[in-house]
Amino acid sequence: MDLFSNIDIEPVRKRIEELSRLVDYYNHEYYMNDTSLVSDFEFDRLLRELIDLEHQYPELSLPNSPTKRVGGEVNKTFRQVTHRFPMLSLGNTYSTDEIIEFESRTRKLLGDTSFSYTCELKYDGVAIGLTYRNGSLVQAVTRGNGAVGDDITANARTIPTIPLHLFGTYPDDFEVRGEVVYPFHEFEAMNALREAEGDEPFANPRNAASGSLKLQDSSECAKRKLQFCAYFMMLPSRYDVLHATSQPASSAMAQSMTSQELTDHLATHYGRLEAVRQMGFKVQPYIHECKNIAEIMDYINYWDTERWNLPYAIDGIVIKVNQVDLWDRLGLTAKSPRWAIAYKFKAQQVSTLLESVSFQVGRTGIVTPVANMSPVWLGGTTVRRATLNNADFIQNMDIREGDYLLVEKGGEIIPKVVGVDMSKRQPGALAVQYAVTCPECGTRLVREEGESGYYCPNQDGCPPQIVGRLEHFVARKAMDIENLGSERLQMLYGKGLVSTAADLYDLRREQLVGLECEVDEATGRRSTIQDKGADNILAAIEQSKQVPFERVLFALGIRYVGEVGAKKLARYFKNIDALMAASVPELAAVEDVGEKTATFVFDYFRDPRHRAIVERLRQAGLQMSVVEHRVSNVLEGITFVVSGVFTHFSRDEIKAHIESHGGKVISSVSSKTSYVLAGENMGPEKLKKAEKLGVPVISEVDYLQMVEPAK
Ligand code: IVH
């Protein structure tokens, strides 16, 4: 039997290799060179054949098969990896004077040596390092804290501009570093989709790229149209040069470098990026060799305005000494090299006419003034509206009718009003009239002492508040009830079927089937809920009964109780009854819960309407207490104070870890503390107190040994 399978398997292995090579190559030409060498049909056919073969012969499937581009691997957590070479950051400045100083300092340090600089764009994305061994991608790691990052290899494989196999000539073992960016048009399309599905949009492309790399399901990451742009090559002190053996005959890079040519290229940063480009990476075409400060300044000035015409965000310019052998001579400061510096662009600012102020009502009744302005082009988009935050903001900035507002956009996509252009103020301009009554329900607005804004007190009768609360309740981070977007909730409220979260759990199939709602504001297209749609909604509602207590608490929408606050309250009080019975000082004793939040929580549960909703939710079967995941009791009776930054855990994770092993975490050191668990940069006060009281201070490693000695 074995004999037969051995005979049979070789041609399959060959075919898998051949298909992988072809698909890889077509992918490369398509994404890097905008060239379709084969029809979509032919491409899909080859890919399908490869997928089928890998399915049939899983033992032959290659770790870097191009089929990995579509994802499929699921990472519950990301393995922490120590960088082989620390990922340094750059010294940065907003001042061109400091760039001049950098240049003259460098020149002085290098004396008579002749050298040049490279100027290149500073991408505003997420830094990652890619390790290649023998021409194959073996690991992708985020920068993390520079010493330790997250292993995101499965997600990185889905990014088309990250080569899985290198072309041409390359070192046998090295790292390529660069930035994962989210191109503007892809970012906007993705955000539009998120909003349509009732998900919170990302604030900017950088956050979106970072969130995408941390998606647990790599096939979800594959759907985000991320790009990788290489900006650095990290070589070990010893390496050999290899040549790709599996290059398709028709490659555009058929003429690959010789070993000597590669070695020559490796002597300069410019040459290294050129070499990296030939291996199959995307490298910015704008990198420029500059001989002196005048050329550096020209480059900076050019990109200060030209940057908005790029398809992705940059936040500055990076200037590096080009000759690699000089890097050692210049050395490092505490955390950044002396041979490079980043110049950061100031936020772009424009002035535009304030046409009117409108008032929006949120789910908590808070009224937010919004500036409607003459459309103005800023940072790659047209800006028409910007928040004016609250009444205090308008007063402090002294915003008047007919003023020209100064609007800024930094790294954020959301424009910010930063002041008034006083040179254009009309004589006698009147102060902006703040709304006196709710623009939605007409109720007189109120302002509570110590609050910066007004709110509409008509909780139960003001439509945007009611629907807003429902939207918050069903949101992904709360009860995660899919299939109930804003339109549908509005419709359910309009029909009188749902006005509180508890009503959702009384919905019946026959009430849903046939309901019509507007789905597209622009076209006014209407859709009707069919049998299947109704079943999906009811299934999602049913599913939400499994959502853990901390998220149920967040979903209630108590003012100032965000995701983190809800988690802390839930962990501390363990169940809703203990929480409802807690006094303000008891609530405020919880870490990260201030007096103000404590008061809001206390007041919330004094309102009989809220207690009735909680009761109905409990009856419906929602989780009203914390389900403890006890792993062991090894820390039973041991009390820890946790301080500093840890390598394997975030602060919250280490606390949860202690509790899961039966230990207790308290916030300040006392004679009752068994151990102070110290990470990096722990507070000196805690250390002093521990020494004074004779409380042992232990490291993360000591702790792990205490809990899991076998490891
Ligand atoms: S070079 C040792 N080049 O800026 C030099 N960095 O603090 C390593 N960045 O986190 C960095 N574009 O992610 C370099 N063209 C570029 C860059 C760049 C963006 C980021 C990088 C790093 C930060 C510098």
Side-chain angles (χ1 to χ4, degrees), residues 87-92 120-128 143 177-179 230-232 269 284 315 318 320 336-337 339-340 342:
M87 278 182 87
L88 302 174
S89 60
L90 294 174
N92 65 58
E120 61 196 272
L121 307 183
K122 183 174 184 303
Y123 300 103
D124 193 7
V126 182
I128 64 169
R143 179 173 183 278
R177 291 182 176 172
E179 203 94 340
Y231 59 61
F232 201 70
H269 174 63
Q284 53 177 279
D315 60 351
V318 180
K320 297 172 188 160
S336 51
W339 42 264

Side-chain angles (χ1 to χ4, degrees), residues 488-534:
R488 286 185 167 174
L489 288 171
Q490 221 140 34
M491 184 255 315
L492 289 172
Y493 167 64
K495 296 275 179 211
L497 290 172
V498 175
S499 59
T500 73
D503 297 336
L504 290 170
Y505 295 87
D506 292 339
L507 278 174
R508 293 189 312 274
R509 194 168 186 274
E510 61 272 22
Q511 292 176 310
L512 293 169
V513 176
L515 282 181
E516 209 183 49
C517 72
E518 208 164 280
V519 287
D520 187 336
E521 261 182 36
T523 60
R525 196 162 59 84
R526 301 183 84 81
S527 84
T528 309
I529 299 180
Q530 312 285 342
D531 290 353
K532 192 154 182 308

Side-chain angles (χ1 to χ4, degrees), residues 594-644:
E595 189 81 20
K596 187 156 129 186
T597 310
T599 311
F600 271 104
V601 175
F602 182 82
D603 290 348
Y604 181 90
F605 289 119
R606 301 286 99 43
D607 187 327
R609 290 170 299 188
H610 296 150
R611 292 180 87 98
I613 291 173
V614 168
E615 226 23 73
R616 282 176 64 201
L617 293 175
R618 190 205 304 262
Q619 291 305 323
L622 271 69
Q623 303 291 319
M624 291 296 171
S625 58
V626 173
V627 180
E628 287 207 54
H629 297 287
R630 261 299 164 101
V631 180
S632 83
N633 290 327
V634 289
L635 301 179
E636 192 75 61
I638 305 181
T639 309
F640 292 84
V641 166
V642 174
S643 178

Side-chain angles (χ1 to χ4, degrees), residues 557-568:
I558 305 169
R559 229 159 121 193
Y560 298 114
V561 178
E563 256 184 294
V564 176
K567 210 180 259 184
K568 303 239 154 133

Side-chain angles (χ1 to χ4, degrees), residues 117-425:
Y117 300 95
T118 52
C119 283
E120 61 196 272
L121 307 183
K122 183 174 184 303
Y123 300 103
D124 193 7
V126 182
I128 64 169
L130 305 172
T131 302
Y132 285 84
R133 265 189 218 121
N134 300 325
S136 289
L137 174 70
V138 292
Q139 193 173 58
V141 184
T142 61
R143 179 173 183 278
N145 61 8
V148 178
D150 290 327
D151 181 339
I152 47 128
T153 314
N155 283 346
R157 284 202 181 102
T158 69
I159 301 176
T161 43
I162 292 184
L164 302 175
H165 300 282
L166 302 180
F167 292 115
T169 310
Y170 43 78
D172 59 344
D173 183 5
F174 73 114
E175 207 179 309
V176 172
R177 291 182 176 172
E179 203 94 340
V180 174
V181 297
Y182 217 132
F184 286 128
H185 69 284
E186 302 290 4
F187 166 77
E188 270 157 26
M190 182 266 308
N191 251 358
L193 200 71
R194 281 176 79 82
E195 282 187 272
E197 288 174 356
D199 283 333
E200 187 81 7
F202 284 106
N204 57 45
R206 180 180 5 92
N207 290 0
S210 168
S212 304
L213 290 179
K214 293 291 184 62
L215 284 166
Q216 292 186 342
D217 179 352
S218 59
S219 60
E220 285 302 312
C221 183
K223 290 181 199 155
R224 307 282 174 90
K225 304 277 172 51
L226 300 171
Q227 271 193 23
F228 174 77
C229 307
Y231 59 61
F232 201 70
M233 186 195 228
M234 195 79 216
L235 276 173
S237 48
R238 270 195 48 79
Y239 57 88
D240 289 321
V241 172
L242 300 181
H243 300 274
T245 49
S246 55
Q247 205 152 304
S250 57
S251 165
M253 285 170 282
Q255 206 59 43
S256 63
M257 288 185 186
T258 61
S259 304
Q260 187 54 50
E261 280 168 339
L262 178 65
T263 310
D264 293 346
H265 272 80
L266 296 182
T268 62
H269 174 63
Y270 192 92
R272 286 180 173 201
L273 288 191
E274 188 49 42
V276 157
R277 189 201 314 276
Q278 295 204 20
M279 292 173 206
F281 289 93
K282 201 178 183 77
V283 175
Q284 53 177 279
Y286 314 109
I287 177 164
H288 190 71
E289 188 177 352
C290 294
K291 285 189 280 312
N292 51 42
I293 186 70
E295 289 183 13
I296 294 175
M297 285 305 163
D298 283 350
Y299 190 91
I300 288 179
N301 291 333
Y302 176 79
W303 284 107
D304 196 6
T305 49
E306 201 50 35
R307 65 180 159 137
W308 300 114
N309 294 324
L310 288 166
Y312 44 76
I314 64 166
D315 60 351
I317 298 298
V318 180
I319 303 137
K320 297 172 188 160
V321 169
N322 190 25
Q323 286 70 21
V324 172
D325 61 337
L326 301 179
W327 293 355
D328 275 349
R329 260 176 71 187
L330 291 164
L332 305 173
T333 65
K335 51 180 193 302
S336 51
R338 260 197 213 95
W339 42 264
I341 193 166
Y343 171 78
K344 300 252 276 185
F345 295 125
K346 290 181 198 73
Q348 206 190 18
Q349 202 179 72
V350 287
S351 124
T352 182
L353 176 67
L354 171 66
E355 291 179 346
S356 65
V357 176
S358 46
F359 295 88
Q360 276 177 358
V361 187
R363 71 174 162 87
T364 55
I366 293 283
V367 172
T368 308
V370 177
N372 301 304
M373 303 169 293
S374 298
V376 61
W377 184 249
L378 177 66
T381 52
T382 303
V383 174
R384 292 185 175 82
R385 289 155 64 80
T387 180
L388 293 174
N389 300 303
N390 52 46
D392 279 357
F393 183 88
I394 295 180
Q395 202 175 15
N396 295 342
M397 285 218 178
D398 185 25
I399 298 172
R400 311 238 184 128
E401 284 178 8
D403 268 351
Y404 277 75
L405 300 182
L406 297 172
V407 187
E408 247 185 29
K409 214 163 167 187
E412 309 299 305
I413 281 291
I414 299 157
K416 236 167 61 183
V417 174
V418 293
V420 173
D421 186 349
M422 284 303 188
S423 67
K424 293 192 180 152
R425 159 119 351 135

